Amino acid sequence: MIQKSKHIYCLFLVFVGFSVLAQNTSWQAAPFEVVNSNCKTFKTTQYAHVFSGSKHNIVRIAPELQGLTGVELPLESYKNGTNTPLKLKFREPVQVLIGVFQEKDNADYRQLNNAKLVLENGLTITGLPPVNVYAISYSKGTHIINPEGKGLFVILGVVKASEKLVSRNAEFPDGKLWNPTFIVEGFSDEKPLFEVIGGENKPVIDEGFSGTEGIQGGFEGGRVVKVGDTYHMFPTERAGEVGVEMYYDRVKTKIGHWTSKDAIHWKRESTILQASGTYAITEDDNPMNDRRAAIWSYMPVFNEKANKWYGYYLAYTVHKEIQPNHSFGRIWRCESTIEGINGIAGPYKDTGIIIEPGLDSEPWEGRQGVASFFPYKVGDKYLGFYSGAFPFQSWADYPKKSGKGWFVGLAESNSLEGPWSRIKDGSNPIKSMHPFFVENPIVSQLPNGLYIAVFDGGPDGWGHHLPNMMAYSLSADGKNWSEAHYLPIETKVNKWWDIMRTPLCLIPEGNDVYTIVYNAIDLKKRFHPTGMVKLKLNKEVMESRLKELK
């Protein structure tokens, strides 16, 4: 009797499993034609920009909708009711899937009647309220798709009349948590500057690989450069300690030197720098504290005039209780003791601090202080991106009352050696790239002279609602930077990560192909791996962007 009951229960679980699986697989699309010549279609997937002339895009989507074909409506005319009615032509009876934004107090958003609710909270669109998805039946022929009332809606797909649409609540969050909206390369109305053409479908360095012994937490930040046929990587190794929780992997760090011939197979060569891991004894920026408790973000730059490699890196004070535990960052410069381009392997000697918290700091630099630095040449002088994080609203908040925000500003100098001065013309922090998250920018130039910065575009995790992609920004003069465009590399590379972090390079390989080595996080493991992806530059778009920015 017990065995029979268990057998029936198992069959029941299998049946339920099949039911759940069935309702969570893509609905079968039906063909249709857009009669309105001014409306384009889009593939209903993550990152799709759903309205023309806007940056609203899908960041969460029910699997039932995945891969259907939607219609890109003009945002403003549909929102204010001045639109030309949408006409669609069907070859057979169909069900049209319409997303309605759930904001009852705003008349701009539609209330849809005489339709079947099939997905409550069925997707998330950046900057817009929660979306309920309804199905409306239409016969074969041409129809005006005009849901009742004035306001905005979205056409998400057309499915066969015979498709069984099982209703459920997908429980996706409010799109207004993602603010502002953002441009995803290849999904917006703009032609993409880069096409993702492939890369490795798994990490190129992961836990257990040769050279990772003693590195508890993996990698984050740094730079990769190519000298001749060899890639040189200088990552931050989150060494940590056995038996100490993973949050503190961020403290006892190393700067390693790794080499590769293909950016895939890597060999660890040496340790360039080692942090002390010693915790602060006071909560303020006090010289009693060890100011090199954590070392991060090593940026090698070759100085042709000096015929040496210079390394710029970040050293933190670390407090065990106050978050962020990285505090009062300072940027050091070191230089290779061996002259020439092949001196990149070091050894390196420190030459001192080039920029630090002080009387010329600004509150936006925050408790984290100068959180990264990257110098680049503009004309006959140098500019350098420097970062700040966990800002103070005013100096009255110092040293513990910090807010959230990850910003960059520019410093200037007549030489790579310095002295470096923060630019004080009111342009810092630079919010044109993103209003509150830009981290670890690395600058190079495209073939037409455009400056390009690649950087960490911010996590969609840990309570943040950010793009979760690497990003780039462009500048014609090296000082004024464009709005960020984000790189959805998982469209061509298997997504082995949960949280995307930092690009370490944008290396030209010839034939308009570029290599990015990057760090990312798989939340199933403590170790943060390293990946690699290839991009193809569109020169026509590059030239048009230069004209736009001049």
Side-chain angles (χ1 to χ4, degrees):
M1 185 70 177
I2 294 173
Q3 291 299 321
K4 185 176 181 181
S5 297
K6 183 183 288 186
H7 180 66
I8 292 171
Y9 178 66
C10 290
L11 287 176
F12 172 74
L13 288 179
V14 170
F15 174 75
V16 170
F18 274 123
S19 298
V20 172
L21 182 64
Q23 76 176 19
N24 288 342
T25 55
S26 297
W27 290 327
Q28 187 176 1
F32 68 94
E33 177 185 340
V34 180
V35 178
N36 307 57
S37 59
N38 62 329
C39 290
K40 300 185 298 183
T41 60
F42 66 87
K43 191 65 71 176
T44 306
T45 62
Q46 188 174 22
Y47 306 134
H49 285 237
V50 296
F51 299 109
S52 60
S54 86
K55 293 177 285 187
H56 300 288
N57 65 86
I58 297 172
V59 288
R60 298 284 191 278
I61 182 170
E64 294 95 320
L65 303 171
Q66 184 72 31
L68 296 176
T69 300
V71 180
E72 192 178 271
L73 304 177
L75 177 68
E76 291 305 321
S77 63
Y78 267 78
K79 195 171 181 179
N80 61 32
T82 61
N83 54 286
T84 301
L86 175 65
K87 290 184 180 180
L88 300 182
K89 184 177 181 180
F90 308 119
R91 302 177 191 172
E92 59 183 280
V94 299
Q95 302 173 82
V96 177
L97 302 175
I98 296 176
V100 177
F101 298 96
Q102 302 304 298
E103 192 168 73
K104 295 179 181 178
D105 296 333
N106 189 336
D108 286 343
Y109 295 94
R110 293 186 181 255
Q111 299 300 310
L112 191 60
N113 299 313
N114 302 317
K116 178 184 178 183
L117 176 61
V118 292
L119 286 172
E120 193 174 352
N121 303 301
L123 70 163
T124 300
I125 300 175
T126 56
L128 294 172
V131 184
N132 284 353
V133 181
Y134 293 82
I136 301 179
S137 297
Y138 290 91
S139 60
K140 178 181 177 180
T142 300
H143 297 268
I144 295 176
I145 311 301
N146 188 29
E148 299 87 344
K150 170 189 172 184
L152 192 64
F153 64 96
V154 57
I155 302 293
L156 296 165
V158 177
V159 300
K160 293 179 176 295
S162 59
E163 183 73 35
K164 302 297 183 184
L165 306 182
V166 178
S167 299
R168 72 183 182 96
N169 189 342
E171 299 182 344
F172 287 126
D174 188 340
K176 287 192 172 181
L177 294 172
W178 280 259
N179 187 28
T181 52
F182 47 88
I183 301 170
V184 182
E185 191 85 338
F187 287 86
S188 72
D189 291 338
E190 299 180 30
K191 289 184 178 179
L193 178 63
F194 290 106
E195 177 191 358
V196 182
I197 58 174
E200 291 300 294
N201 290 317
K202 59 184 180 180
V204 296
I205 305 178
D206 205 347
E207 187 174 16
F209 283 29
S210 177
T212 63
E213 298 84 4
I215 303 172
Q216 311 299 315
F219 302 92
E220 169 55 16
R223 191 185 187 197
V224 176
V225 296
K226 192 175 184 183
V227 178
D229 64 352
T230 303
Y231 299 86
H232 295 263
M233 178 168 61
F234 297 85
T236 303
E237 298 174 348
R238 303 170 70 253
E241 297 179 75
V242 176
V244 178
E245 64 176 287
M246 62 186 296
Y247 181 76
Y248 297 100
D249 292 345
R250 298 151 35 106
V251 177
K252 198 170 185 179
T253 55
K254 302 177 187 177
I255 303 299
H257 175 214
W258 297 66
T259 60
S260 174
K261 294 294 185 181
D262 57 7
I264 300 171
H265 303 91
W266 291 90
K267 177 185 177 185
R268 193 179 192 279
E269 302 287 353
S270 66
T271 297
I272 300 295
L273 294 162
Q274 169 74 62
S276 71
T278 304
Y279 290 98
I281 58 176
T282 72
E283 63 187 26
D284 61 342
D285 188 11
N286 192 311
M288 293 176 63
N289 300 323
D290 188 333
R291 289 173 167 173
R292 295 171 64 89
I295 290 174
W296 286 71
S297 191
Y298 187 90
M299 299 292 178
V301 176
F302 187 67
N303 185 339
E304 293 184 0
K305 185 177 179 180
N307 195 32
K308 287 183 178 181
W309 283 94
Y310 286 2
Y312 300 84
Y313 67 92
L314 165 63
Y316 281 122
T317 300
V318 175
H319 198 284
K320 199 161 190 176
E321 281 81 40
I322 300 172
Q323 292 196 29
N325 65 345
H326 287 163
S327 302
F328 313 122
R330 289 169 161 79
I331 303 299
W332 289 68
R333 184 178 72 84
C334 60
E335 59 182 47
S336 60
T337 58
I338 299 172
E339 292 189 351
I341 195 77
N342 292 319
I344 189 168
Y348 288 81
K349 64 177 182 180
D350 280 322
T351 61
I353 295 168
I354 64 162
I355 188 168
E356 63 181 327
L359 294 177
D360 59 344
S361 297
E362 297 179 326
W364 65 264
E365 296 175 34
R367 183 173 173 89
Q368 209 156 55
V370 188
S372 73
F373 187 81
F374 189 89
Y376 56 98
K377 199 169 193 297
V378 177
D380 59 357
K381 68 177 182 179
Y382 290 86
L383 296 179
F385 271 119
Y386 71 99
S387 300
F390 296 89
F392 302 119
Q393 289 296 319
S394 71
W395 288 121
D397 292 336
Y398 175 89
K400 292 193 297 183
K401 189 180 176 183
S402 59
K404 288 189 177 180
W406 291 259
F407 301 106
V408 293
L410 285 172
E412 59 186 351
S413 175
N414 291 324
S415 71
L416 282 170
E417 292 84 4
W420 289 89
S421 301
R422 293 164 171 85
I423 290 177
K424 292 290 188 177
D425 62 2
S427 60
N428 287 337
I430 298 169
K431 295 186 177 182
S432 56
M433 300 159 81
H434 186 279
F436 60 87
F437 198 103
V438 177
E439 200 167 59
N440 296 310
I442 293 175
V443 179
S444 56
Q445 285 184 277
L446 296 176
N448 66 348
L450 263 180
Y451 293 89
I452 182 167
V454 293
F455 56 91
D456 176 353
D460 184 359
W462 307 317
H464 303 292
H465 295 284
L466 288 158
N468 206 35
M469 290 175 275
M470 296 178 284
Y472 74 84
S473 174
L474 301 173
S475 174
D477 61 5
K479 186 174 187 293
N480 299 286
W481 290 89
S482 70
E483 181 179 0
H485 287 58
Y486 296 84
L487 298 169
I489 67 172
E490 59 266 44
T491 58
K492 294 290 178 66
V493 174
N494 290 346
K495 188 180 177 185
W496 52 263
W497 63 91
D498 298 295
I499 296 176
M500 175 56 65
R501 292 311 315 265
T502 307
L504 308 186
C505 58
L506 182 68
I507 296 175
E509 307 286 13
N511 298 318
D512 302 322
V513 173
Y514 289 76
T515 296
I516 292 180
V517 178
Y518 61 92
N519 300 134
I521 298 173
D522 178 349
L523 290 174
K524 296 185 295 296
K525 60 177 68 174
R526 177 173 181 170
F527 191 99
H528 298 178
T530 296
M532 186 273 282
V533 67
K534 297 281 189 180
L535 310 178
K536 180 84 170 181
L537 175 71
N538 185 322
K539 282 188 172 178
E540 181 183 341
V541 175
M542 176 184 69
E543 294 298 340
S544 67
R545 298 279 181 91
L546 178 60
K547 290 177 183 177
E548 292 168 5
L549 292 170
K550 278 188 172 180

mmCIF file of all heavy atoms in Angstrom, residues 310-333:
data_model
loop_
_atom_site.group_PDB
_atom_site.id
_atom_site.type_symbol
_atom_site.label_atom_id
_atom_site.label_comp_id
_atom_site.label_asym_id
_atom_site.label_seq_id
_atom_site.Cartn_x
_atom_site.Cartn_y
_atom_site.Cartn_z
ATOM 1 N N TYR A 310 55.014 52.233 -17.005
ATOM 2 C CA TYR A 310 54.544 52.792 -15.739
ATOM 3 C C TYR A 310 53.312 51.991 -15.307
ATOM 4 O O TYR A 310 52.467 51.624 -16.136
ATOM 5 C CB TYR A 310 54.142 54.254 -15.890
ATOM 6 C CG TYR A 310 55.283 55.241 -16.039
ATOM 7 C CD1 TYR A 310 56.618 54.821 -16.072
ATOM 8 C CD2 TYR A 310 55.029 56.599 -16.139
ATOM 9 C CE1 TYR A 310 57.653 55.734 -16.203
ATOM 10 C CE2 TYR A 310 56.067 57.523 -16.273
ATOM 11 C CZ TYR A 310 57.378 57.074 -16.309
ATOM 12 O OH TYR A 310 58.404 57.977 -16.439
ATOM 13 N N GLY A 311 53.218 51.730 -14.028
ATOM 14 C CA GLY A 311 52.037 51.077 -13.482
ATOM 15 C C GLY A 311 51.320 52.017 -12.528
ATOM 16 O O GLY A 311 51.948 52.579 -11.617
ATOM 17 N N TYR A 312 50.029 52.227 -12.745
ATOM 18 C CA TYR A 312 49.201 53.043 -11.855
ATOM 19 C C TYR A 312 48.271 52.093 -11.114
ATOM 20 O O TYR A 312 47.578 51.284 -11.747
ATOM 21 C CB TYR A 312 48.398 54.071 -12.648
ATOM 22 C CG TYR A 312 49.261 55.034 -13.435
ATOM 23 C CD1 TYR A 312 49.755 54.696 -14.691
ATOM 24 C CD2 TYR A 312 49.597 56.279 -12.906
ATOM 25 C CE1 TYR A 312 50.563 55.564 -15.411
ATOM 26 C CE2 TYR A 312 50.397 57.166 -13.620
ATOM 27 C CZ TYR A 312 50.880 56.790 -14.873
ATOM 28 O OH TYR A 312 51.681 57.663 -15.585
ATOM 29 N N TYR A 313 48.227 52.185 -9.800
ATOM 30 C CA TYR A 313 47.391 51.245 -9.059
ATOM 31 C C TYR A 313 46.790 51.914 -7.839
ATOM 32 O O TYR A 313 47.224 52.977 -7.388
ATOM 33 C CB TYR A 313 48.177 49.988 -8.687
ATOM 34 C CG TYR A 313 49.303 50.189 -7.695
ATOM 35 C CD1 TYR A 313 49.090 50.034 -6.330
ATOM 36 C CD2 TYR A 313 50.590 50.500 -8.131
ATOM 37 C CE1 TYR A 313 50.113 50.194 -5.410
ATOM 38 C CE2 TYR A 313 51.633 50.660 -7.229
ATOM 39 C CZ TYR A 313 51.391 50.512 -5.869
ATOM 40 O OH TYR A 313 52.408 50.682 -4.965
ATOM 41 N N LEU A 314 45.807 51.245 -7.290
ATOM 42 C CA LEU A 314 44.978 51.765 -6.210
ATOM 43 C C LEU A 314 45.310 51.036 -4.908
ATOM 44 O O LEU A 314 45.391 49.806 -4.883
ATOM 45 C CB LEU A 314 43.510 51.535 -6.583
ATOM 46 C CG LEU A 314 42.421 51.648 -5.537
ATOM 47 C CD1 LEU A 314 42.352 53.050 -4.970
ATOM 48 C CD2 LEU A 314 41.075 51.262 -6.156
ATOM 49 N N ALA A 315 45.529 51.800 -3.839
ATOM 50 C CA ALA A 315 45.751 51.219 -2.513
ATOM 51 C C ALA A 315 44.719 51.779 -1.537
ATOM 52 O O ALA A 315 44.495 52.992 -1.489
ATOM 53 C CB ALA A 315 47.163 51.521 -2.026
ATOM 54 N N TYR A 316 44.090 50.890 -0.776
ATOM 55 C CA TYR A 316 43.017 51.254 0.147
ATOM 56 C C TYR A 316 43.431 51.083 1.610
ATOM 57 O O TYR A 316 44.191 50.174 1.965
ATOM 58 C CB TYR A 316 41.816 50.343 -0.055
ATOM 59 C CG TYR A 316 40.917 50.629 -1.217
ATOM 60 C CD1 TYR A 316 40.705 49.648 -2.186
ATOM 61 C CD2 TYR A 316 40.238 51.833 -1.334
ATOM 62 C CE1 TYR A 316 39.837 49.879 -3.250
ATOM 63 C CE2 TYR A 316 39.380 52.071 -2.382
ATOM 64 C CZ TYR A 316 39.181 51.086 -3.353
ATOM 65 O OH TYR A 316 38.328 51.322 -4.389
ATOM 66 N N THR A 317 42.812 51.908 2.462
ATOM 67 C CA THR A 317 42.647 51.595 3.875
ATOM 68 C C THR A 317 41.431 50.665 3.975
ATOM 69 O O THR A 317 40.473 50.822 3.229
ATOM 70 C CB THR A 317 42.377 52.879 4.686
ATOM 71 O OG1 THR A 317 43.482 53.761 4.537
ATOM 72 C CG2 THR A 317 42.155 52.568 6.147
ATOM 73 N N VAL A 318 41.475 49.721 4.908
ATOM 74 C CA VAL A 318 40.371 48.757 5.036
ATOM 75 C C VAL A 318 39.863 48.742 6.478
ATOM 76 O O VAL A 318 40.638 48.519 7.418
ATOM 77 C CB VAL A 318 40.813 47.345 4.619
ATOM 78 C CG1 VAL A 318 39.699 46.349 4.872
ATOM 79 C CG2 VAL A 318 41.204 47.324 3.147
ATOM 80 N N HIS A 319 38.563 48.978 6.636
ATOM 81 C CA HIS A 319 37.943 48.905 7.959
ATOM 82 C C HIS A 319 37.083 47.642 8.022
ATOM 83 O O HIS A 319 36.349 47.339 7.082
ATOM 84 C CB HIS A 319 37.095 50.151 8.224
ATOM 85 C CG HIS A 319 36.779 50.358 9.668
ATOM 86 N ND1 HIS A 319 35.822 49.613 10.337
ATOM 87 C CD2 HIS A 319 37.314 51.202 10.590
ATOM 88 C CE1 HIS A 319 35.764 49.993 11.590
ATOM 89 N NE2 HIS A 319 36.657 50.953 11.782
ATOM 90 N N LYS A 320 37.136 46.935 9.114
ATOM 91 C CA LYS A 320 36.469 45.631 9.184
ATOM 92 C C LYS A 320 34.962 45.740 9.375
ATOM 93 O O LYS A 320 34.216 44.877 8.931
ATOM 94 C CB LYS A 320 37.067 44.793 10.314
ATOM 95 C CG LYS A 320 36.760 43.309 10.164
ATOM 96 C CD LYS A 320 37.697 42.450 10.983
ATOM 97 C CE LYS A 320 37.530 40.973 10.617
ATOM 98 N NZ LYS A 320 38.497 40.109 11.316
ATOM 99 N N GLU A 321 34.479 46.802 10.016
ATOM 100 C CA GLU A 321 33.050 46.914 10.301
ATOM 101 C C GLU A 321 32.307 47.874 9.379
ATOM 102 O O GLU A 321 31.149 47.659 9.056
ATOM 103 C CB GLU A 321 32.827 47.357 11.757
ATOM 104 C CG GLU A 321 32.979 46.248 12.785
ATOM 105 C CD GLU A 321 34.418 45.965 13.138
ATOM 106 O OE1 GLU A 321 35.178 46.938 13.251
ATOM 107 O OE2 GLU A 321 34.777 44.783 13.258
ATOM 108 N N ILE A 322 32.935 48.952 8.954
ATOM 109 C CA ILE A 322 32.246 49.985 8.174
ATOM 110 C C ILE A 322 32.210 49.582 6.704
ATOM 111 O O ILE A 322 33.216 49.160 6.136
ATOM 112 C CB ILE A 322 32.957 51.350 8.326
ATOM 113 C CG1 ILE A 322 32.963 51.783 9.795
ATOM 114 C CG2 ILE A 322 32.268 52.408 7.469
ATOM 115 C CD1 ILE A 322 33.807 53.015 10.060
ATOM 116 N N GLN A 323 31.029 49.703 6.092
ATOM 117 C CA GLN A 323 30.930 49.458 4.652
ATOM 118 C C GLN A 323 30.816 50.791 3.925
ATOM 119 O O GLN A 323 30.121 51.686 4.387
ATOM 120 C CB GLN A 323 29.723 48.572 4.351
ATOM 121 C CG GLN A 323 29.892 47.163 4.888
ATOM 122 C CD GLN A 323 28.904 46.188 4.263
ATOM 123 O OE1 GLN A 323 28.470 46.369 3.133
ATOM 124 N NE2 GLN A 323 28.569 45.149 5.000
ATOM 125 N N PRO A 324 31.516 50.968 2.777
ATOM 126 C CA PRO A 324 32.366 49.946 2.170
ATOM 127 C C PRO A 324 33.640 49.739 2.985
ATOM 128 O O PRO A 324 34.170 50.683 3.559
ATOM 129 C CB PRO A 324 32.702 50.539 0.806
ATOM 130 C CG PRO A 324 32.710 52.008 1.044
ATOM 131 C CD PRO A 324 31.612 52.255 2.028
ATOM 132 N N ASN A 325 34.100 48.487 3.039
ATOM 133 C CA ASN A 325 35.313 48.251 3.824
ATOM 134 C C ASN A 325 36.550 48.785 3.110
ATOM 135 O O ASN A 325 37.588 48.999 3.727
ATOM 136 C CB ASN A 325 35.461 46.774 4.185
ATOM 137 C CG ASN A 325 35.661 45.878 2.978
ATOM 138 O OD1 ASN A 325 35.430 46.277 1.848
ATOM 139 N ND2 ASN A 325 36.066 44.644 3.235
ATOM 140 N N HIS A 326 36.461 49.043 1.798
ATOM 141 C CA HIS A 326 37.525 49.751 1.087
ATOM 142 C C HIS A 326 37.320 51.241 1.268
ATOM 143 O O HIS A 326 36.278 51.779 0.886
ATOM 144 C CB HIS A 326 37.467 49.445 -0.412
ATOM 145 C CG HIS A 326 37.918 48.066 -0.744
ATOM 146 N ND1 HIS A 326 37.640 47.463 -1.941
ATOM 147 C CD2 HIS A 326 38.642 47.166 -0.040
ATOM 148 C CE1 HIS A 326 38.164 46.261 -1.969
ATOM 149 N NE2 HIS A 326 38.781 46.059 -0.821
ATOM 150 N N SER A 327 38.299 51.935 1.806
ATOM 151 C CA SER A 327 38.123 53.348 2.100
ATOM 152 C C SER A 327 39.365 54.154 1.718
ATOM 153 O O SER A 327 40.480 53.633 1.712
ATOM 154 C CB SER A 327 37.858 53.549 3.598
ATOM 155 O OG SER A 327 36.714 52.837 4.014
ATOM 156 N N PHE A 328 39.132 55.443 1.388
ATOM 157 C CA PHE A 328 40.184 56.445 1.251
ATOM 158 C C PHE A 328 41.282 55.988 0.272
ATOM 159 O O PHE A 328 42.466 55.971 0.592
ATOM 160 C CB PHE A 328 40.774 56.792 2.619
ATOM 161 C CG PHE A 328 39.723 57.040 3.664
ATOM 162 C CD1 PHE A 328 39.672 56.296 4.834
ATOM 163 C CD2 PHE A 328 38.733 58.004 3.457
ATOM 164 C CE1 PHE A 328 38.691 56.521 5.797
ATOM 165 C CE2 PHE A 328 37.751 58.235 4.413
ATOM 166 C CZ PHE A 328 37.728 57.492 5.578
ATOM 167 N N GLY A 329 40.845 55.621 -0.934
ATOM 168 C CA GLY A 329 41.778 55.130 -1.940
ATOM 169 C C GLY A 329 42.798 56.168 -2.367
ATOM 170 O O GLY A 329 42.501 57.362 -2.469
ATOM 171 N N ARG A 330 43.996 55.692 -2.643
ATOM 172 C CA ARG A 330 45.090 56.510 -3.153
ATOM 173 C C ARG A 330 45.682 55.837 -4.382
ATOM 174 O O ARG A 330 45.768 54.607 -4.432
ATOM 175 C CB ARG A 330 46.184 56.678 -2.077
ATOM 176 C CG ARG A 330 45.754 57.573 -0.942
ATOM 177 C CD ARG A 330 46.720 57.536 0.235
ATOM 178 N NE ARG A 330 46.511 58.717 1.067
ATOM 179 C CZ ARG A 330 45.525 58.847 1.947
ATOM 180 N NH1 ARG A 330 44.677 57.840 2.125
ATOM 181 N NH2 ARG A 330 45.386 59.959 2.648
ATOM 182 N N ILE A 331 46.105 56.638 -5.352
ATOM 183 C CA ILE A 331 46.704 56.100 -6.563
ATOM 184 C C ILE A 331 48.217 56.262 -6.486
ATOM 185 O O ILE A 331 48.737 57.366 -6.296
ATOM 186 C CB ILE A 331 46.163 56.804 -7.822
ATOM 187 C CG1 ILE A 331 44.635 56.681 -7.886
ATOM 188 C CG2 ILE A 331 46.818 56.223 -9.077
ATOM 189 C CD1 ILE A 331 44.105 55.265 -7.970
ATOM 190 N N TRP A 332 48.897 55.131 -6.649
ATOM 191 C CA TRP A 332 50.347 55.088 -6.681
ATOM 192 C C TRP A 332 50.824 54.898 -8.122
ATOM 193 O O TRP A 332 50.110 54.330 -8.950
ATOM 194 C CB TRP A 332 50.871 53.926 -5.841
ATOM 195 C CG TRP A 332 50.730 54.092 -4.355
ATOM 196 C CD1 TRP A 332 49.568 54.104 -3.625
ATOM 197 C CD2 TRP A 332 51.799 54.260 -3.434
ATOM 198 N NE1 TRP A 332 49.848 54.274 -2.297
ATOM 199 C CE2 TRP A 332 51.205 54.367 -2.131
ATOM 200 C CE3 TRP A 332 53.191 54.330 -3.547
ATOM 201 C CZ2 TRP A 332 51.972 54.533 -0.996
ATOM 202 C CZ3 TRP A 332 53.954 54.491 -2.386
ATOM 203 C CH2 TRP A 332 53.345 54.600 -1.138
ATOM 204 N N ARG A 333 52.031 55.373 -8.362
ATOM 205 C CA ARG A 333 52.695 55.083 -9.635
ATOM 206 C C ARG A 333 53.974 54.300 -9.362
ATOM 207 O O ARG A 333 54.714 54.601 -8.412
ATOM 208 C CB ARG A 333 53.046 56.361 -10.397
ATOM 209 C CG ARG A 333 53.646 56.093 -11.781
ATOM 210 C CD ARG A 333 53.936 57.374 -12.550
ATOM 211 N NE ARG A 333 55.083 58.103 -12.017
ATOM 212 C CZ ARG A 333 56.357 57.856 -12.333
ATOM 213 N NH1 ARG A 333 56.656 56.857 -13.157
ATOM 214 N NH2 ARG A 333 57.326 58.586 -11.814
#
